Amino acid sequence: MGDLPVEQVDALMHIVDGSPAFAGRYLHEGSHPAHTHSFVEVAVVVGGSGVQHSLAGQQRLTVGDVLLLLRPGVWHGYEQCHALGCFTSELLRRELAWTREDPWIGHLLWTGPYAHQRRGMLTGHVGDAAFRECVEHLERLQGLRGRPVPAYKADLVGGLILFLSALARALGPADPGSWASVSHPAVLDGMRLMEARPAHPWTLTDLATQVVNTSRWLESSTC
């Protein structure tokens, strides 16, 4: 992917520079084959137009469209995308675990992508003011590229949270009470199972069985 710190092995893409998060602009010319990630990707369309292919079908892309590809294992591909701004992160299980309990960011990262047959992906469109704010945060993150990760990790995480917060406000309703502000414990357990085994071909029945078995084991161990 050009000068971005990402390499593709077969159909799986990896971050290769040790950074927990990065931002950068990438120009998709022609078709970009279907692929999946070992990380989380957020793409903000900053110019041009194109088509995204995923399990949810085809989607036309225009400036201001946002694609949030959550769980590793979610695949997608681009066709005729002339300009995309991309952002990736591997922090969900660590520094961003608290966002499960946040009504806005929790919906953006955890509950929204798995509701209404979205298949692990949340899409939307942001208005002009929110678009400028999101791009500003991404550009600041891009400015940290090449800095030593140990010294600038806090800056990376802080910049990422500011971006996600702006994006969540832009894509969500004015009243977060229309969402479940705190996810049901069983939902959180299911998310943790999927995070722990990203390559497993989870089905709803399989996931529900694992959640029930885990819950029973915890209950028996505390008796």
Side-chain angles (χ1 to χ4, degrees):
M1 296 184 67
D3 65 340
L4 301 185
V6 172
E7 289 184 359
Q8 183 169 339
V9 178
D10 296 324
L12 185 65
M13 304 191 75
H14 305 267
I15 299 174
V16 295
D17 70 345
S19 176
F22 75 86
R25 293 174 182 258
Y26 181 68
L27 178 65
H28 287 286
E29 295 181 303
S31 296
H32 190 70
H35 60 279
T36 185
H37 320 92
S38 63
F39 49 84
V40 173
E41 176 181 312
V42 182
V44 179
V45 182
V46 297
S49 62
V51 177
Q52 185 201 217
H53 302 272
S54 72
L55 288 173
Q58 294 186 1
Q59 177 184 355
R60 297 293 305 180
L61 300 175
T62 60
V63 174
D65 284 342
V66 177
L67 313 172
L68 185 65
L69 308 175
L70 262 281
R71 182 173 55 86
V74 174
W75 67 266
H76 72 129
Y78 297 112
E79 176 184 321
Q80 299 176 350
C81 290
H82 301 300
L84 290 175
C86 297
F87 171 84
T88 61
S89 170
E90 290 183 304
L91 304 177
L92 281 178
R93 284 181 288 178
R94 301 188 301 273
E95 287 83 353
L96 296 181
W98 64 270
T99 60
R100 291 186 179 96
E101 309 301 328
D102 183 271
W104 275 284
I105 303 181
H107 175 81
L108 183 74
L109 294 182
W110 301 100
T111 57
Y114 301 102
H116 308 298
Q117 300 297 315
R118 290 179 180 139
R119 299 180 181 273
M121 179 173 62
L122 187 65
T123 63
H125 186 87
V126 296
D128 292 344
F131 174 78
R132 290 191 296 270
E133 183 179 2
C134 289
V135 170
E136 287 175 2
H137 289 310
L138 290 177
E139 288 177 341
R140 292 191 186 98
L141 281 168
Q142 185 177 8
L144 295 172
R145 291 271 301 282
R147 303 290 182 90
V149 172
Y152 286 88
K153 185 175 181 180
D155 299 73
L156 289 166
V157 175
L160 170 59
I161 292 172
L162 288 172
F163 166 68
L164 292 175
S165 180
L167 188 60
R169 289 193 302 271
L171 294 180
D175 178 16
S178 60
W179 299 325
S181 60
V182 178
S183 297
H184 190 279
V187 175
L188 300 180
D189 289 342
M191 291 176 179
R192 294 186 183 101
L193 285 169
M194 289 189 291
E195 292 165 21
R197 300 174 61 190
H200 183 75
W202 291 104
T203 66
L204 185 58
T205 300
D206 187 17
L207 190 60
T209 300
Q210 292 291 328
V211 168
V212 170
N213 289 341
T214 300
S215 177
R216 287 174 177 170
W217 181 86
L218 290 174
E219 290 176 358
S220 64
S221 66
T222 55
C223 292

